[in-house]
Amino acid sequence: MVFCDEIQSQVLTDKIVAQALNIDSIAIDNDIERAAFALKAMSHPLRLKILCAIGEHELSVQDIVEQVGTTQSNVSQHLAKLREKDILMSRRDANRIYYRVNDERTLRLIEMMREVFCSAKN
């Protein structure tokens, strides 16, 4: 009888571990989906340039336009997409809108891309 109890206990433990692993797998899948979603949103050259310009700062639309060198209309369209995808957040101060990166992980990703692709060696 003790042997059967040990087996039942082990089976229950295995089920709990399997459930925990499944939850971890789901969490990892969610992280991967979120990463792919963010990378897709950033994949346009101008959007990436905007993110590099903003970096750790908070910039107004006009500041971003001056740094990336295109029209305000064009920048505003891309800012809207980045905001829609939760890559950027915005705040209004009187008649100006300021943008900043919404997530620390995105900032780290931008910094790594700068190191890899924007080095003086290239």
Side-chain angles (χ1 to χ4, degrees):
M1 199 65 160
V2 172
F3 181 70
C4 289
D5 289 341
E6 288 178 17
I7 291 175
Q8 282 182 328
S9 176
Q10 185 61 43
V11 168
L12 181 60
T13 302
D14 290 348
K15 284 183 180 179
I16 291 170
V17 169
Q19 287 174 345
L21 289 175
N22 189 33
I23 290 170
D24 287 345
S25 174
I26 292 169
I28 290 169
D29 287 347
N30 287 340
D31 289 343
I32 289 171
E33 263 186 59
R34 188 172 47 240
F37 186 76
L39 289 169
K40 185 177 178 182
M42 294 186 297
S43 66
H44 189 280
L46 184 57
R47 288 194 287 259
L48 193 53
K49 193 172 184 181
I50 288 169
L51 289 169
C52 287
I54 294 172
E56 296 178 354
H57 309 286
E58 181 179 68
L59 296 178
S60 70
V61 175
Q62 189 57 41
D63 292 335
I64 296 167
V65 167
E66 290 171 7
Q67 287 195 26
V68 300
T70 189
T71 65
Q72 182 171 342
S73 174
N74 195 11
V75 167
S76 292
Q77 288 175 8
H78 288 284
L79 287 171
K81 287 186 184 201
L82 289 167
R83 191 179 63 243
E84 175 184 300
K85 305 292 186 188
D86 287 330
I87 304 295
L88 294 179
M89 59 188 320
S90 63
R91 72 174 177 88
R92 181 180 290 274
D93 184 20
N95 64 344
R96 287 188 172 235
I97 299 176
Y98 292 87
Y99 287 89
R100 66 183 172 97
V101 176
N102 193 30
D103 190 338
E104 178 65 33
R105 293 172 296 189
T106 304
L107 286 173
R108 290 195 314 256
L109 179 61
I110 292 167
E111 187 56 38
M112 285 190 312
M113 286 189 290
R114 280 181 180 159
E115 289 174 13
V116 171
F117 295 110
C118 301
S119 69
K121 297 175 190 173
N122 292 336

